[in-house]
Amino acid sequence: MAAYEKPSPTKREYLIVRPEKIGWFHLLSLLIFRRNLTSYKFLETDSVGEGIPTDIITVITLFIQKLLASISGPMKITGLIVEFLLNFISLNGGILGLIKRIITVSVVIPKREDANFRTLIGQIDGRTNLYKSNALIQYYPFMEAFSDLSDLNLLDLTMMSSKIAYENAAFIKNVVNNVWKMHFVGFYNCWNKFLNDHTTQAFIFCNKETDADLIVLAFRGTEPFNANDWSTDVDLSWILANKLGNIHLGFLKALGLQNEKSFLLGFPTNFNSTTDKPIAYYTIREQLASLLKVHKNAKIVVTGHSLGGALAALFPALLSYHNQSNILSSLYGTFTYGQPRVGDQIFVAYVNAIIKAKSYRMVYRYDVVPRIPFDAPPVALFKHFGTCVYYKSWYKAEIMDDAPNPNYFDPLFVVSMYLSAWGDLLKALFIRWTQGKEYKEGTISILYRCLGLIIPGIASHSPRDYVNGGRLAKMAQKFMV
């Protein structure tokens, strides 16, 4: 294993940004006077080391968090209304169908817990069928196929798993058991003590009920109308996790951190969570260990989109830190889509030493989320790790060290970002004729793409683009082996 930098006694143990304490005048004074960050009450850190100067990236991050905190309530209410109306219309057969049902007094009222209820993500892309082919492996030579799962495209399976992870337990179970003809194991609605709510969701399934060859763990990603999720993605808060280096505090909290100022106390090797407040890391770890006792030769794949990708990337590192060799030795790999950054360079070195050859990170064009939290020295030094597969479009992919425009705000990329947004929108209007009816985009998807014309990179975060990329893109010839 690679050598790691030992934590120095002069280093800070943690840095915590409290968005609810950020004031508009704080941002103004930071922008004008560039005061030391440690002089503000919204930032907490231990007393060791020097003060922390600010920069424009940090100010932008704090502004985004302040804005999100201000609109959190309206965002949530808007999301509930929008998703109810979309399901109300779709479940009643569209506008014309709804009129008919009103006349015949047979209107269907959507319920969020039902198997036919879809979130906005599901409304944007309602596909659930898998791409039953391993033919794309020739375009992704770094991937190996399962010899006994020759009809399964692992890239497509993980992306579709990441996409349906946004839905409720009944929806997921129905898709896994009845559409994919696999075996649903469980849905986990886990507790975050710092948000005082069940905010972390994941599910597990096997390719078959007995003698399974494959176990898939999928984490739910950033919900479109959840301000806390978006604030977590951009957050610059971190904690020193001993030999793991500095790790994003919000992602650790989502997995079950119990103490935000001490990693040793926050993530002990073992922790007994309650039935009504299950802790994600420990609950899922226990379930995987139990499954491996039954399916002794099974390989584990961990996946997620957006925030879910960050949790998928972080989960194996915690397994290694706690010496969970029984699970880690069965890990086939992590497949993440639109994943934000998780830790600093020490963390990157640690994870690369463990699973570099098994860590695949897909980035579609100028998707904003893989470019956050910002690499903003000296406040935070977040980096990416693993194999980056960059989709230049639905039809072309390249292997890169990192995606272009890593901090999103480089003015040199402004024209290219807007052209990409326009290009995706125009291609989406005609894709049913160029690629087939399975790629047809509905009104909700087209409207969502229009957001990219205002803020480029927002629409590129859609799971639909990652599904299309996995199914349509070919590796650039120069990267073939």
Side-chain angles (χ1 to χ4, degrees):
M1 183 174 289
Y4 304 107
E5 178 186 343
K6 294 183 179 180
S8 165
T10 62
K11 286 187 176 179
R12 289 184 171 81
E13 299 293 322
Y14 61 88
L15 184 146
I16 305 173
V17 176
R18 306 288 187 193
E20 69 278 5
K21 294 184 179 181
I22 300 174
W24 295 111
F25 284 108
H26 293 153
L27 298 173
L28 186 62
S29 66
L30 277 171
L31 191 62
I32 297 175
F33 302 110
R34 302 292 178 92
R35 292 178 60 190
N36 195 295
L37 283 172
T38 53
S39 63
Y40 294 91
K41 292 183 178 180
F42 63 74
L43 187 137
E44 296 179 22
T45 185
D46 56 307
S47 58
V48 180
E50 300 176 356
I52 306 174
T54 189
D55 64 357
I56 189 61
I57 294 295
T58 302
V59 175
I60 291 173
T61 300
L62 296 174
F63 171 80
I64 293 172
Q65 288 190 281
K66 171 63 178 176
L67 180 62
L68 288 169
S70 301
I71 63 174
S72 175
M75 273 185 69
K76 182 177 181 180
I77 294 173
T78 300
L80 292 173
I81 294 172
V82 168
E83 291 186 340
F84 176 85
L85 291 176
L86 291 176
N87 280 274
F88 185 62
I89 294 171
S90 63
L91 292 177
N92 286 285
I95 299 296
L96 295 178
L98 177 59
I99 295 173
K100 180 180 179 180
R101 285 183 174 272
I102 291 175
I103 295 173
T104 58
V105 196
S106 58
V107 174
V108 177
I109 304 299
K111 298 179 180 179
R112 296 192 70 87
E113 67 275 9
D114 286 353
N116 60 4
F117 188 95
R118 289 181 295 163
T119 64
L120 178 62
I121 298 296
Q123 296 285 346
I124 291 173
D125 184 4
R127 292 174 293 182
T128 56
N129 289 318
L130 297 177
Y131 196 80
K132 287 285 186 178
S133 170
N134 247 330
L136 293 190
I137 295 299
Q138 64 178 301
Y139 301 124
Y140 295 84
F142 55 87
M143 292 172 56
E144 54 185 289
F146 282 96
S147 59
D148 44 3
L149 294 173
S150 57
D151 65 337
L152 183 67
N153 183 286
L154 195 56
L155 195 69
D156 192 66
L157 176 66
T158 52
M159 182 56 245
M160 294 299 285
S161 300
S162 299
K163 186 168 76 74
I164 70 168
Y166 287 93
E167 310 303 328
N168 63 53
F171 183 101
I172 295 171
K173 183 177 181 179
N174 178 62
V175 170
V176 171
N177 288 344
N178 301 321
V179 180
W180 297 352
K181 306 301 181 183
M182 297 186 183
H183 175 61
F184 177 79
V185 174
F187 178 87
Y188 310 94
N189 190 24
C190 300
W191 185 255
N192 184 324
K193 67 174 290 185
F194 299 96
L195 295 178
N196 197 35
D197 198 2
H198 296 83
T199 60
T200 302
Q201 288 78 38
F203 73 97
I204 297 176
F205 68 95
C206 304
N207 70 307
K208 50 188 176 181
E209 187 171 1
T210 59
D211 297 322
D213 310 288
L214 177 65
I215 301 170
V216 177
L217 163 62
F219 287 96
R220 191 220 73 200
T222 306
E223 293 183 305
F225 295 103
N226 190 318
N228 284 329
D229 280 359
W230 287 104
S231 185
T232 296
D233 285 345
V234 301
D235 194 8
L236 296 176
S237 302
W238 51 261
I239 187 172
L240 180 59
N242 300 316
K243 64 181 180 180
L244 295 182
N246 293 338
I247 299 180
H248 189 287
L249 189 60
F251 301 149
L252 283 173
K253 288 178 178 179
L255 280 178
L257 186 75
Q258 297 299 300
N259 188 310
E260 63 182 347
K261 297 181 180 179
S262 169
F263 183 76
L264 286 176
L265 297 176
F267 258 124
T269 302
N270 297 295
F271 184 84
N272 295 321
S273 58
T274 60
T275 303
D276 61 326
K277 295 180 179 179
I279 304 302
Y281 169 71
Y282 299 101
T283 301
I284 293 169
R285 190 182 75 180
E286 181 180 351
Q287 182 64 75
L288 291 177
S290 297
L291 286 171
L292 288 174
K293 292 178 182 178
V294 177
H295 310 289
K296 299 184 184 298
N297 298 316
K299 293 296 182 181
I300 298 172
V301 167
V302 187
T303 189
H305 170 264
S306 194
L307 170 62
L311 303 185
L314 183 54
F315 185 75
L318 291 176
L319 291 176
S320 174
Y321 183 80
H322 291 136
N323 298 314
Q324 300 295 309
S325 58
N326 59 323
I327 301 176
L328 204 58
S329 62
S330 297
L331 180 68
Y332 175 84
T334 62
F335 292 75
T336 69
Y337 302 85
Q339 171 209 318
R341 299 180 177 105
V342 175
D344 67 0
Q345 193 60 52
I346 297 176
F347 177 77
V348 169
Y350 185 92
V351 177
N352 280 341
I354 301 168
I355 59 168
K356 180 179 181 181
K358 301 179 179 180
S359 178
Y360 312 118
R361 181 173 58 86
M362 272 54 74
V363 178
Y364 184 78
R365 285 201 167 183
Y366 294 110
D367 181 352
V368 63
V369 176
R371 294 163 170 88
I372 56 176
F374 303 115
D375 183 4
V379 180
L381 297 168
F382 292 106
K383 308 291 183 182
H384 274 306
F385 63 89
T387 301
C388 175
V389 181
Y390 179 66
Y391 294 123
K392 299 185 71 173
S393 68
W394 298 327
Y395 312 112
K396 186 177 181 181
E398 293 184 7
I399 293 180
M400 296 182 171
D401 293 331
D402 200 0
N405 193 14
N407 266 345
Y408 185 76
F409 291 107
D410 190 335
L412 295 177
F413 290 92
V414 170
V415 174
S416 179
M417 291 168 70
Y418 278 103
L419 287 176
S420 293
W422 274 106
D424 282 349
L425 175 60
L426 293 175
K427 285 187 292 187
L429 294 172
F430 300 99
I431 194 169
R432 66 173 299 182
W433 293 285
T434 60
Q435 299 299 324
K437 63 181 181 179
E438 70 172 284
Y439 294 96
K440 176 185 176 182
E441 299 202 17
T443 303
I444 305 303
S445 180
I446 296 299
L447 289 175
Y448 180 75
R449 289 198 181 281
C450 290
L451 288 176
L453 307 182
I454 304 170
I455 307 175
I458 294 293
S460 297
H461 190 55
S462 170
R464 174 182 283 276
D465 285 330
Y466 285 97
V467 173
N468 287 351
R471 294 181 177 185
L472 298 175
K474 299 180 181 180
M475 295 298 290
Q477 191 66 35
K478 64 180 179 180
F479 291 103
M480 296 288 285
V481 297

